[in-house]
Amino acid sequence: MALSSPLQNLSALISAKGNATAVATPRPPRGRPWAVHAAASDTTASASVQMGEYEEGKLERPKWVGETPLSRLVQALISFKPFYSVLKLGARRALISTAEKNNIPWRQMAKEILESEVYRELDNIQNQSLVYPDYYLNPFHAYDEGNLTWLAAAEAEAATLSIAKRAIPDASSTQEANQILRGNWLRAIEQHHMQYSESSVINDILDIGCSVGISTRYLADKFPTAKVTGLDLSPYFLAVAQHKEKNAPPRKFPIRWIHANGEDTGLPSKSFNLVSIAFVVHECPARAIVNLVREAFRLLRPGGTLALVDSTTKSKVLQELSPVLFTLLKSTEPFLDEYYLTDMDETLREAGFGNITSILTDPRHVTITATVP
Ligand SMILES: C[S@@+](CC[C@H](N)C(=O)[O-])C[C@H]1O[C@@H](n2cnc3c(N)ncnc32)[C@H](O)[C@@H]1O
């Protein structure tokens, strides 16, 4: 069948450069290795974020987004069930084999979680009375039950590491890619907070959509005197987060994990000075994005900082993605179009935020920071 050939080649396409074979990979600025952005072992250094060094594309957004003929064609293909099923399987296989080629032992990492005592954490973390928003119950990321399964939870860390290597293919290792991606994000947050909230120390942090706790742990390491809370809709992801944290060196302030909807957390108003929403909004429909931003505004104290990081339509790499890869991407991310059509600056402004600042903190992702007046 004609489909099998591109699918068999998916892994090769995704691997190494992570974008189209014909597309030029963004290179580090001449004479400046990627590592300038963050020393491999140091995400806390105070070097400044290299603004504007990651290249933006010429378009407002990629041609495969929104109501363009190309986008409609991709959407029609994805809606054709037999094609979608093949695509989903191919996508999953390609993700795993690409990760393993990049020395991320995907299957081994998942096996270790699935064979651990992680299941014990579920009962004390799960809020049985939580009502899930409709969008969260869709098939997602090639999992029929979306994020509400042990398999998705067990594979989340490997999947997250893969994002970093795909974003920064020139990094010498996945670890380095991850340090650059997270290091630049943390520095953007620190710089924003220092510039606009200098009198306010960061002592209460909320990480909305914390998944298995990777972003939460980065925040807790960066701000060790702060009390940090990770919040997510998936009790399975939170169970993995808690299980991992229990097996890690103890902290002065243990991370608190909450099973709740970030759109309506039930937490007290003005109780945080930093709210992070990392790699969440591309998974949400537009109405949920607005609600998440409004809830973050309610939860922050005056002078508090919102930090939102996610993929951006401005990214040159995304604008030049090959047809096979953007079809694949759209097939596993049902709300990507809604996110890409949302004006995030305007959404933040309407919620009441000021000092809205956007920085490409790696070739694919933008960190948007803003202050509650
Ligand atoms: C890609 S993961 C986030 C990764 C993590 N923040 C990091 O940086 O490593 C997206 C997460 O958002 C969560 N999520 C989606 N909608 C949510 C909502 N309304 N409230 C809370 N969490 C949500 C999902 O369950 C998922 O764990």
Side-chain angles (χ1 to χ4, degrees), residues 133 135-136 140-141 147-148 156 160 163 181-182 185 207-216 218 231-235 237-238 258-265 276-285 288 291-292 309-310 333:
Y135 76 86
Y136 202 70
F140 192 68
H141 283 172
N147 289 333
L148 294 171
T160 305
I163 292 171
L181 183 144
R182 299 289 182 171
W185 162 66
D207 187 20
I208 295 181
C210 65
S211 176
V212 293
I214 299 174
S215 46
T216 329
Y218 269 101
L231 180 146
D232 204 278
L233 269 174
S234 170
F237 285 19
L238 289 167
I258 298 183
H259 181 211
N261 184 352
E263 297 174 73
D264 180 14
T265 60
S276 163
I277 305 180
F279 305 105
V280 177
V281 286
H282 74 278
E283 298 187 1
C284 300
N291 291 341
L292 286 168
V309 60
D310 220 307
E333 301 281 3

Side-chain angles (χ1 to χ4, degrees), residues 43 52 54 68 122 126 138 182 204 221 248 250 268 305 350 367:
T43 56
Y54 295 109
T68 63
L122 191 66
Q126 189 165 23
N138 284 327
R182 299 289 182 171
D204 291 290
D221 290 346
T305 298
E350 275 177 9
T367 298

Side-chain angles (χ1 to χ4, degrees), residues 11 82-83 91 136 157 168 191 232 276 308 312 345 349:
S11 161
F83 179 74
Y136 202 70
E157 182 162 7
I168 308 169
Q191 281 179 19
D232 204 278
S276 163
L308 197 150
T312 171
D345 281 15
R349 211 170 290 120

Side-chain angles (χ1 to χ4, degrees), residues 5-46:
S5 158
L7 283 177
Q8 277 159 5
N9 291 327
L10 275 178
S11 161
L13 269 168
I14 298 174
S15 65
K17 296 298 168 199
N19 52 14
T21 41
V23 169
T25 305
R27 306 293 308 171
R30 198 165 288 161
R32 285 174 183 251
W34 290 117
V36 160
H37 300 276
S41 59
D42 176 16
T43 56
T44 59
S46 58

Side-chain angles (χ1 to χ4, degrees), residues 170-283:
D170 290 312
S172 61
S173 65
T174 299
Q175 193 205 15
E176 188 192 55
N178 206 38
Q179 295 292 354
I180 294 168
L181 183 144
R182 299 289 182 171
N184 284 350
W185 162 66
L186 288 170
R187 270 194 293 282
I189 296 174
E190 185 181 44
Q191 281 179 19
H192 183 101
H193 198 78
M194 271 165 51
Q195 184 169 353
Y196 296 110
S197 320
E198 66 252 34
S199 58
S200 138
V201 179
I202 295 184
N203 44 26
D204 291 290
I205 302 175
L206 176 64
D207 187 20
I208 295 181
C210 65
S211 176
V212 293
I214 299 174
S215 46
T216 329
R217 279 192 289 276
Y218 269 101
L219 289 163
D221 290 346
K222 174 80 180 176
F223 304 104
T225 57
K227 296 194 184 95
V228 180
T229 302
L231 180 146
D232 204 278
L233 269 174
S234 170
Y236 304 95
F237 285 19
L238 289 167
V240 171
Q242 181 154 294
H243 168 75
K244 291 215 146 229
E245 198 57 14
K246 275 190 181 166
N247 290 294
R251 297 178 191 275
K252 185 170 174 211
F253 299 113
I255 297 174
R256 169 174 71 141
W257 306 104
I258 298 183
H259 181 211
N261 184 352
E263 297 174 73
D264 180 14
T265 60
L267 295 170
S269 299
K270 299 187 182 19
S271 49
F272 296 92
N273 16 43
L274 172 62
V275 171
S276 163
I277 305 180
F279 305 105
V280 177
V281 286
H282 74 278
E283 298 187 1

Side-chain angles (χ1 to χ4, degrees), residues 2 5 39 45 85 102 107 113 121 160 181 197 249 265 276 278 282 301 318 321 335 341 351:
S5 158
S85 308
N102 282 325
R107 282 170 294 185
I113 295 286
E121 309 297 339
T160 305
L181 183 144
S197 320
T265 60
S276 163
H282 74 278
R301 300 183 182 119
L318 278 190
L321 218 56
F335 300 109
L341 294 172

